[in-house]
Amino acid sequence: MKINEMTKINIQKKKILIRLDLNVPMQNNKITSYARIQASLPTIKLALKNKSKIMILSHLGRPTENKFQKKYSLFPIFKYLQTKIKNTNIYFAKNLNDKIKINYGEIIIFENVRFNIGEKENDIKLSKKYASLCDIFVMDAFGTSHRMEASTYGVGMFAKISCAGPLLISEIKSLQKSIKKPQRPLITILGGSKISTKFNILKKLAKISDTTIVGGGIANTFLAIKNNIGKSIYEKDFIKLAKKLIKKYNILIPIDSRTLNICNTKKIYSMKNSNLISDNEEIMDIGDKSIIKIIKIIKKARTIIWNGPVGVFESKKFRLGTEKISYAIANNKNAFSLAGGGDTLAVIEMFNIKKKISYISTGGGAFLEFIEGKKLPSLQMLKKKYIQN
């Protein structure tokens, strides 16, 4: 892929506008996961090393356009960055018209781009305004590279020079390593509640994987082909398509499950074979037999692609399946493991296995769309800008 790279162009004493993915989980205006911020720090420090004037853009959540909402403000992230980047002046701008002058070697962080009119619609006027701020635009937000928005696409088309940041380059190379020439066996672990949102990626991964392991609501849809699954989450409209996939590819579904009897006031928890689920039960996690079977497969794997938990991991009673699988992936020293998606990042932090995963993608939707083979708008923009230059 021919695109300009931040590490290969002259950024010395330039005005640099960097689009980062600082869309971190928040609770009561406090950051609950620092993974995406930590992943962005090397890019910021590279620009500082080159004594650039650094301007940072990012979104947070899904606020209403042109309306300030405190819970979506980037101010807590700005305060955190002040503690992580020492001996550097860092400023916060409430909007694009905030006239804060910065010197070379200083940083300004702009408020949530999704407060700006026209951001999500890739408005030309807003895109040009972003571009007018800089000499060089750096796209380093892989997690939003599948969105055609003013701060991810439009600005890059109007900036004098547009390039990819080191995090974006790292993401692309790691994803390509997993799907183009993977070491075998290649296994995929795909969890989540809806097969509809992941059907295309499931089909793509099943095609290239030696084994595809499914969990959560996705697994329930496969189980519903032949079994009663009680009150469990599943998608009836996708049963026929799931049936075709399981006939064609090696897809492993749970052979036993942990369930909750939703009609019992005492909340009775059970573990039983997946073909013995009663009408009043809901599948909440995979069972012990399934865990043992999956761990054996993981131990033999040489490439692992992991997206999503296999049960309701937020509850202590139903996180064992996800926990055991997570540790099995982390402890396989012979495999290249690639993990991505918001819930997957949360799981990795919960079980403190970050250092044992070969590569952790900051992207959710972008991660899935790239593997699926879709063209990501931001990457297409960078290709066009490379040709123009």
Side-chain angles (χ1 to χ4, degrees), residues 239-254:
I239 289 179
K240 284 185 180 179
L241 292 171
K243 192 174 182 179
K244 287 180 181 178
L245 283 185
I246 206 165
K247 280 184 178 180
K248 193 170 183 180
Y249 304 112
N250 184 24
I251 297 175
L252 179 68
I253 61 175

Side-chain angles (χ1 to χ4, degrees), residues 21 36 59 140-147 171 362-367:
D21 183 6
R36 283 177 172 154
H59 77 285
D140 209 30
F142 177 74
T144 59
S145 59
H146 62 313
R147 306 287 188 196
E171 293 268 11
T362 57
F367 170 84

Side-chain angles (χ1 to χ4, degrees), residues 117-128 130 148-150 154-155 158:
I117 297 172
E119 166 62 24
K120 293 192 78 174
E121 290 74 34
N122 189 34
D123 179 72
I124 291 176
K125 186 179 178 181
L126 180 60
S127 298
K128 286 182 176 180
Y130 289 145
M148 187 179 279
E149 298 177 350
V155 56
F158 293 108

Side-chain angles (χ1 to χ4, degrees), residues 52 60 65 85 93 117 119 134 145 195-196 198 257 269 272 279 287 299 337-338 374 377:
S52 305
L60 178 66
E65 186 178 274
I85 303 171
I117 297 172
E119 166 62 24
C134 65
S145 59
I195 193 172
S196 56
K198 295 185 178 180
S257 306
Y269 309 106
K272 53 177 63 179
D279 290 342
K299 284 181 176 179
S337 52
L338 173 68
K374 287 186 177 178

Side-chain angles (χ1 to χ4, degrees), residues 317-378:
K317 289 183 172 67
F318 302 116
R319 72 172 55 145
L320 187 64
T322 299
E323 181 180 4
K324 293 289 186 181
I325 287 172
S326 301
Y327 285 132
I329 295 168
N331 292 328
N332 185 341
K333 295 178 182 178
N334 298 315
F336 175 81
S337 52
L338 173 68
D343 283 343
T344 316
L345 294 177
V347 168
I348 288 168
E349 287 198 34
M350 179 180 283
F351 301 127
N352 195 27
I353 56 172
K354 181 180 177 180
K355 292 180 180 178
K356 292 186 175 183
I357 304 298
S358 306
Y359 192 83
I360 301 170
S361 174
T362 57
F367 170 84
L368 296 175
E369 288 191 20
F370 187 94
I371 292 176
E372 193 182 325
K374 287 186 177 178
K375 292 181 178 180
L376 306 186
S378 293

